[in-house]
Amino acid sequence: MLKIYIAKIPTKIIKRKIPTSLLNEINQYMHPQARLQKNASYLLLNIVLNTHHIWNKDISVNEYGKPSLIGNQIYFNLSHSGEYIVCAVANNPIGVDIEFTNSHIKSISSAFLTKNEVQTYISLSNQKLTQIWAIKEAIVKLLGVGLSKKLSTISLASLKINNKRLYTFKKTFRAYHHLQFALASYVQLPKKINLIKVKL
């Protein structure tokens, strides 16, 4: 099972109930927009878990900030960019990332490309480079290691980390202002993925 849900972030702070285990994490974001994005992300997660009849929503957060459900055999991952948030749910660990095409991405290519990749990919369009960024972000989120794993140490030529094979998926969703979307998993991913729209 793999489902991807997308929602538009509302323009004002959401004051609906979210899992209490996440309140401390949300409250540490001082910037109102960051807090809004985090609040909206967990509201979407709450809706998604209800959809899948998961009523026990005890969530733990690892030392790198990756949340996971306690005692449920379902995995989720969240990402936001601009006005959109996505929630991926699956039977296996999953990493998801969304990005809008970055017009300045070539100037920061050394932050996410290996030395060999810089030679190979630097001539690509901003859209393609943003896709590569999103894939690597999804991989890091799958691993659950946060910023401790530099994107520039991940080579897309060899998708194997800690002796585990990784599978990735990428797509541009034109209906969402050319949103760049990426998934990473330890199991093979489908060739076609659709977004399920949710209203917050």
Side-chain angles (χ1 to χ4, degrees), residues 16-57:
R16 297 192 202 176
K17 189 175 179 183
I18 59 168
T20 53
S21 56
L22 296 170
L23 287 175
N24 288 337
E25 187 193 348
I26 289 172
N27 289 334
Q28 68 183 323
Y29 288 87
M30 300 304 293
H31 192 279
Q33 184 62 24
R35 192 177 290 187
L36 173 62
Q37 288 172 331
K38 211 52 151 167
N39 211 336
S41 295
Y42 289 129
L43 177 57
L44 174 60
L45 174 62
N46 196 45
I47 293 168
V48 168
L49 294 180
N50 287 343
T51 300
H52 291 271
H53 307 291
I54 295 173
W55 314 118
N56 179 11
K57 297 169 187 168

Side-chain angles (χ1 to χ4, degrees), residues 131-170:
Q131 273 187 348
I132 292 170
W133 175 290
I135 290 168
K136 292 193 177 192
E137 284 278 1
I139 290 170
V140 167
K141 293 175 78 178
L142 168 67
L143 299 174
V145 293
L147 298 174
S148 70
K149 181 78 172 173
K150 292 184 177 179
L151 300 184
S152 59
T153 64
I154 299 170
S155 171
L156 296 185
S158 174
L159 282 178
K160 209 171 190 182
I161 295 179
N162 300 330
N163 293 321
K164 286 186 177 180
R165 170 80 191 271
L166 301 180
Y167 298 88
T168 61
F169 174 91
K170 67 181 187 301

